[in-house]
């Protein structure tokens, strides 16, 4: 496991604010290599505080290192307790620099043909709004005010 931050960080405050907004969002998680670490890709903030410090999966690392987006309808996932649709995308700061990965999971009780477009657009809107509030990578790890 990666390092667990001491105290509430700015990214954790952003997670709480994102989850408080009225949406179909089930969860949001922030992933990156923590400051002063090298090649330790981990979840460092999000709506699952008990998972903070867990190592990232290979698909999470691909998003962080390659800057790709993964739109995941969770087909044939019988172990998910709630039907969901997941979007993994680069997390960007206000200057547009990639500073990690953000993962949004949306409740999806009734899958439809329009899901990819719908959830990708919703994730983009959430991420783009968040981007304006992130002055830098380092700011994410600073104490919440």
């Amino acid at each position: 496991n990666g390092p667990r931050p001491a105290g509430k960080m700015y990214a954790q405050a952003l997670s709480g604010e994102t989850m408080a907004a009225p949406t179909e969002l089930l969860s949001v998680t922030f992933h990156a290599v923590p400051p002063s670490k090298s090649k330790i890709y981990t979840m460092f903030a999000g709506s699952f505080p008990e998972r903070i410090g867990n190592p990232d999966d290979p698909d999470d690392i691909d998003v962080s290192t390659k800057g790709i987006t993964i739109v995941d309808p969770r087909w044939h996932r019988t172990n998910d307790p709630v039907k969901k649709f997941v979007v993994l995308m680069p997390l960007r700061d206000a200057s547009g620099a990639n500073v990690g990965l953000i993962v949004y999971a949306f409740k999806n009780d009734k899958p439809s043909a329009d899901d990819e477009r719908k959830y990708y657009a919703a994730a983009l809107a959430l991420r783009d709004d968040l981007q304006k509030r992130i002055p830098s990578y380092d700011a994410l790890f600073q104490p919440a005010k």
Side-chain angles (χ1 to χ4, degrees):
N1 285 355
R4 291 185 63 83
K8 189 171 185 179
M9 296 183 311
Y10 181 56
Q12 190 62 38
L14 291 173
S15 168
E17 291 168 21
T18 299
M19 291 304 298
T23 65
E24 297 173 301
L25 202 58
L26 288 171
S27 66
V28 60
T29 57
F30 292 72
H31 303 249
V33 175
S36 76
K37 301 295 178 190
S38 175
K39 305 232 184 243
I40 297 178
Y41 296 90
T42 185
M43 185 183 113
F44 67 91
S47 53
F48 296 111
E50 69 279 5
R51 295 186 193 169
I52 291 174
N54 286 356
D56 280 349
D57 293 329
D59 54 350
D60 297 324
I61 295 169
D62 281 345
V63 173
S64 290
T65 60
K66 298 175 181 176
I68 62 173
T69 295
I70 297 174
V71 179
D72 180 3
R74 310 292 287 182
W75 290 327
H76 310 297
R77 298 282 182 109
T78 56
N79 61 340
D80 283 345
V82 175
K83 290 183 181 179
K84 61 186 167 185
F85 198 103
V86 180
V87 180
L88 301 82
M89 56 189 9
L91 179 62
R92 296 190 177 124
D93 68 14
S95 75
N98 286 353
V99 293
L101 150 74
I102 189 132
V103 180
Y104 296 106
F106 298 91
K107 186 174 184 180
N108 189 22
D109 287 333
K110 297 176 186 163
S112 72
D114 191 43
D115 285 346
E116 287 183 40
R117 185 176 320 278
K118 174 180 152 185
Y119 292 118
Y120 178 62
L124 272 176
L126 287 166
R127 192 273 313 268
D128 291 352
D129 181 58
L130 195 60
Q131 177 178 341
K132 298 171 195 165
R133 302 177 60 204
I134 301 172
S136 68
Y137 161 83
D138 289 333
L140 291 167
F141 296 90
Q142 297 302 312
K145 294 180 173 130

